[in-house]
Amino acid sequence: MKKVGLLFLFVFCFGVPHMNANGEDLEKIYLDGGYKETNRALNEANTFFRESILLPTRLPEVVFTHTFARFTTIASPKLEISFLNENSGETHYKIFVTFLKYKQEFQNEKSASRMKLKDGSEAIYIIKENFSLLIFEKNKFQYTLMMDKIHPEKVTKKDLIQIANSFKE
């Protein structure tokens, strides 16, 4: 399980670098990396899992110029949705979704704090060196909201909780 966690962190931190690529370059980098339009990747994941994945109605209050997604079965099946800004290599927000059968365990994280969401489900908030995570389970899936911490004042723990609370069944 530790290897899966390390792979997860590696993909987020080093998955697809873009620095300050212009729009067309950024699109090429991500599309060449297996990303596609969010709805297409979401449909692939829904078909694979034979369930409908919920998405939040709220996003961080940060400007994003692009959204890409991919569904992969490498290591474990998961949907990854990336939000980024072509004018800033410093602002990345991601949503990872996997079936509970493949969920990651975060029980031994030293920086983990637990809280309840509005629907009564539990969420785990973890701060890592370069990013923060909010992990929770909903509707047969494990969701991970991940925001880089280059500018931690832009998206706080409270903001991630508000996003998690915006998932509607």
Side-chain angles (χ1 to χ4, degrees):
M1 188 51 83
K2 204 168 205 174
K3 289 180 183 177
V4 173
L6 291 173
L7 177 64
F8 180 75
L9 295 176
F10 179 80
V11 168
F12 174 73
C13 293
F14 306 107
V16 182
H18 76 274
M19 303 307 263
N20 289 324
N22 69 40
E24 290 178 17
D25 291 342
L26 184 64
E27 290 169 18
K28 180 171 179 14
I29 291 167
Y30 273 80
L31 295 174
D32 288 351
Y35 288 83
K36 56 189 73 166
E37 295 169 351
T38 300
N39 285 339
R40 287 184 50 211
L42 178 62
N43 287 336
E44 288 177 19
N46 287 339
T47 299
F48 180 88
F49 292 125
R50 295 188 178 119
E51 294 285 342
S52 292
I53 294 173
L54 302 174
L55 294 178
T57 57
R58 185 179 188 104
L59 290 172
E61 292 184 23
V62 176
V63 176
F64 298 110
T65 59
H66 291 77
T67 302
F68 299 100
R70 66 179 168 187
F71 176 70
T72 180
T73 56
I74 298 171
S76 66
K78 71 176 168 287
L79 174 66
E80 173 188 342
I81 305 171
S82 297
F83 300 83
L84 30 112
N85 185 321
E86 70 185 356
N87 301 310
S88 170
E90 300 178 345
T91 306
H92 305 91
Y93 169 64
K94 290 191 176 201
I95 301 173
F96 292 94
V97 185
T98 192
F99 218 41
L100 286 177
K101 173 179 169 181
Y102 306 104
K103 75 179 186 177
Q104 284 190 268
E105 296 294 336
F106 294 94
Q107 307 302 343
N108 299 325
E109 291 291 330
K110 294 176 184 169
S111 66
S113 61
R114 297 179 185 288
M115 68 222 50
K116 293 281 185 190
L117 298 177
K118 282 185 181 175
D119 67 1
S121 63
E122 183 179 75
I124 301 170
Y125 180 73
I126 299 171
I127 299 172
K128 291 290 189 182
E129 186 175 322
N130 296 318
F131 50 88
S132 56
L133 305 161
L134 185 71
I135 303 107
F136 58 96
E137 298 175 6
K138 190 175 286 291
N139 203 33
K140 301 182 185 176
F141 291 96
Q142 181 185 55
Y143 291 84
T144 302
L145 308 180
M146 185 180 289
M147 186 72 198
D148 65 20
K149 293 196 51 73
I150 300 296
H151 300 291
E153 71 283 357
K154 285 186 179 180
V155 180
T156 65
K157 175 181 176 179
K158 180 182 174 185
D159 296 325
L160 291 177
I161 292 168
Q162 287 178 333
I163 294 167
N165 283 326
S166 77
F167 282 74
K168 306 291 185 225
E169 294 191 39

